[in-house]
Amino acid sequence: MPKKRPASTPTPAAAPASPWAPAAAREQQRETKRNAVLSTAAQLFNERGFHATSLDDIAARLNVSKPTLYYYVKNKDEILIECVRKGLHMMLEGIEETRNAGGKAIDQLMACMRVYTRIVTMDFGMCVIRVGDDELPQESRKELRRLKSGIDMEFRRLVTEGIAEGSLQPCDPKIAAFVIAGALSWIGRWYQPGGEYTPDEIATQCIASLCDGVLRRPDAVHAS
């Protein structure tokens, strides 16, 4: 009598693919979209002002509904806090990178001035200058003013070191730092993307005016 063949074990069906991305991917997507909300808000704040910009305006430019924004931010105040914070962190990180690169104090100062100028022509940096922190709650103002103080102290330190190495004229580092940061910050007020000068050209001319002045020296007159 022929032996019976053992019944074959059925192959388990493959599990259906999940329509949801893994948690890490979802978090990355959320962060990308949150940054898009902040970038768009910064653009509108710079164009129209903080009070004249509504969440509806931000949602419309992003082609989403206003309720969608609440998945990424709590309210307009939080958006402004994050925009200004991002701009200040960009400035601090850029200055720190130039400091870490080493070299003479004057070279570091010039590099920091160029970095600062570039950032105030960008959306978040421009937001720091055009909107500022006066619209924010007291606690948020304290944090952001602490970050601004860090930038000021970096400029003071470089001026002090430049005087010590003989590359800068003796002066009050505090006043010099105020003049440098004040002049470069004002670029964020009048700069228009796509205008006559690129950010790099603006940086070159403004830094030259700050460092060399606008008066023609007698030796330059004789040389010509």
Side-chain angles (χ1 to χ4, degrees):
M1 187 173 178
K3 292 183 179 179
K4 286 187 178 181
R5 282 180 156 183
S8 58
T9 304
T11 304
S18 172
W20 283 271
R26 291 201 304 273
E27 183 57 32
Q28 185 176 10
Q29 290 173 1
R30 183 181 182 279
E31 190 61 24
T32 298
K33 291 176 180 177
R34 187 173 188 273
N35 283 332
V37 171
L38 297 177
S39 296
T40 300
Q43 290 171 2
L44 287 166
F45 292 159
N46 293 333
E47 293 169 12
R48 307 179 186 182
F50 177 70
H51 289 299
T53 301
S54 67
L55 289 177
D56 288 311
D57 295 327
I58 298 169
R61 185 166 288 192
L62 286 165
N63 297 317
V64 299
S65 65
K66 180 178 174 181
T68 301
L69 296 182
Y70 291 114
Y71 181 65
Y72 306 101
V73 292
K74 293 178 182 176
N75 50 44
K76 199 170 75 165
D77 280 350
E78 183 189 53
I79 292 175
L80 179 57
I81 291 168
E82 288 303 311
C83 287
V84 175
R85 184 183 285 130
K86 277 182 173 289
L88 290 171
H89 276 298
M90 288 167 65
M91 291 173 182
L92 283 168
E93 287 168 4
I95 290 172
E96 185 178 358
E97 284 179 12
T98 60
R99 291 277 288 162
N100 290 340
K104 296 177 64 176
I106 184 60
D107 296 327
Q108 291 183 40
L109 177 61
M110 300 284 272
C112 286
M113 291 166 71
R114 186 168 289 278
V115 165
Y116 192 92
T117 301
R118 177 173 54 81
I119 292 172
V120 299
T121 63
M122 300 167 69
D123 290 330
F124 290 125
M126 203 182 297
C127 194
V128 173
I129 308 304
R130 293 192 180 184
V131 182
D133 53 25
D134 292 336
E135 313 290 347
L136 298 176
Q138 181 65 26
E139 286 305 310
S140 298
R141 283 205 299 269
K142 285 182 181 178
E143 177 198 351
L144 298 178
R145 287 174 181 172
R146 177 182 58 78
L147 294 174
K148 288 182 179 180
S149 176
I151 296 170
D152 172 60
M153 293 308 296
E154 286 298 327
F155 277 123
R156 291 192 202 186
R157 186 177 298 116
L158 286 170
V159 171
T160 300
E161 292 175 6
I163 294 169
E165 74 182 14
S167 58
L168 294 178
Q169 295 189 59
C171 62
D172 184 328
K174 177 179 178 179
I175 298 299
F178 283 164
V179 170
I180 291 170
L184 298 181
S185 293
W186 199 250
I187 294 169
R189 292 274 182 184
W190 54 258
Y191 172 74
Q192 291 295 328
E196 183 179 357
Y197 301 106
T198 67
D200 196 54
E201 290 170 338
I202 291 170
T204 298
Q205 294 197 46
C206 289
I207 292 170
S209 294
L210 280 168
C211 293
D212 299 332
V214 294
L215 294 177
R216 195 170 188 187
R217 293 177 176 78
D219 54 346
V221 175
H222 294 319
S224 61

